[in-house]
């Protein structure tokens, strides 16, 4: 079955970035000159997925506006003959079929995914979390699709992480089937020190079978009093094969302020028009701090 649909949960309040996110969705904070959410949408499109559902919350209108046409802006750019920028602006509104639904209450990631049930139907689907930007030669979600085509089960994107950050993410206990591919035995969301199973964390990319919806419908709140997707996937792994794949690419946690700054610096360094000036600036500023 071809994977045609992707879900992006974007209903969070962005409390780690207050006051910047008081009126501006965290998903619209820029990485260099594009909002973070656009990188996620581009990854989906580059992987060949046709339709996207963005799950939003209150005061997130700028997300819909960004991916809609901006006629006045297009006319102004055309009048100025700024044709390259005009092409870029038109591409944003034409690159995918994007749908929206609100998560009316902040009941957790599992609940947000359940909100996509009608949109997904009985199809296998992709989930991409907006806090995770992944720079890679091949689209990260496309890598997971390739693994799904071989194993025909839900696939979780994972990475080996340093011990000091394992408590922040879903933690994996699995049996390695081949290099970088695991059969999931157990998942623990934000484990305590004594609950850590391995140095492998689940990081914001998923291919999930529609069986998850029956589980999420009945799932009790877990850690933080929320419906946790990790808890649902843990139950799914007891019912049918669930796999994990150690994806290629560099991952940035842009829900964290340091991760956000690192992403901006490193993406800017990959831009030839910014690279040289930024390197000189960073060199000068480090000298001034005697670093």
């Amino acid at each position: 079955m071809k994977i045609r649909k992707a879900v992006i949960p974007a209903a969070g309040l962005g409390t780690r970035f207050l006051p910047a996110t008081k009126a501006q969705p965290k998903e619209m904070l820029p990485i260099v000159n594009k909002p973070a959410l656009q990188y996620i949408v581009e990854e989906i499109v580059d992987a060949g997925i046709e339709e996207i559902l963005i799950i939003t919350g209150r005061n997130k209108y700028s997300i819909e506006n960004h991916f809609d046409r901006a006629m006045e802006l297009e006319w102004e750019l055309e009048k100025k003959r700024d044709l390259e920028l005009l092409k870029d602006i038109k591409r944003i509104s034409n690159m995918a079929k994007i749908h929206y639904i609100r998560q009316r209450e902040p009941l957790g990631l599992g609940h947000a995914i359940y909100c996509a049930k009608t949109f997904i139907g009985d199809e296998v689907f992709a989930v991409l979390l907006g806090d995770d930007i992944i720079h890679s030669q091949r689209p990260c979600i496309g890598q997971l699709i390739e693994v799904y085509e071989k194993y025909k089960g839900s696939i979780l994107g994972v990475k080996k992480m340093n011990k000091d950050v394992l408590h922040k993410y879903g933690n994996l206990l699995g049996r390695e089937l081949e290099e970088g591919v695991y059969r999931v035995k157990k998942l623990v969301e934000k484990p305590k020190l004594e609950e850590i199973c391995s140095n492998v964390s689940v990081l914001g990319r998923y291919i999930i079978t529609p069986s998850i919806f029956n589980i999420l419908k009945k799932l009790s709140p877990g850690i933080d009093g929320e419906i946790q997707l990790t808890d649902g996937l843990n139950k799914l792994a007891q019912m049918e094969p669930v796999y994990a794949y150690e994806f290629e690419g560099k991952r940035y946690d842009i829900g964290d302020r340091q991760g956000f700054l690192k992403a901006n610096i490193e993406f800017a360094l990959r831009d030839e028009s910014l690279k040289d000036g930024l390197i000189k600036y960073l060199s000068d500023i480090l000298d001034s701090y005697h670093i």
Side-chain angles (χ1 to χ4, degrees), residues 150-205:
K150 179 176 180 179
Y151 287 93
K152 303 301 181 186
S154 297
I155 311 292
L156 319 182
V158 299
K159 279 282 192 188
K160 292 185 174 75
M161 305 290 282
N162 293 331
K163 188 180 293 186
D164 60 331
V165 298
L166 290 172
H167 66 282
K168 294 182 177 181
Y169 310 107
N171 192 237
L172 170 73
L173 176 64
R175 176 169 61 89
E176 193 163 20
L177 304 178
E178 59 177 285
E179 186 175 359
V181 178
Y182 306 84
R183 172 76 182 264
V184 174
K185 293 182 179 179
K186 180 182 177 183
L187 298 165
V188 182
E189 178 65 19
K190 297 180 180 176
K192 298 175 183 176
L193 185 62
E194 64 273 15
E195 296 175 319
I196 291 174
C197 307
S198 70
N199 65 340
V200 180
S201 292
V202 182
L203 298 175
R205 296 293 184 275

Side-chain angles (χ1 to χ4, degrees), residues 28 46 87 103 145 151 156 160 203 205-206 220 237:
M28 297 304 292
D46 289 345
K87 181 180 175 182
Q103 183 186 22
I145 290 171
Y151 287 93
L156 319 182
K160 292 185 174 75
L203 298 175
R205 296 293 184 275
Y206 311 81
S220 300

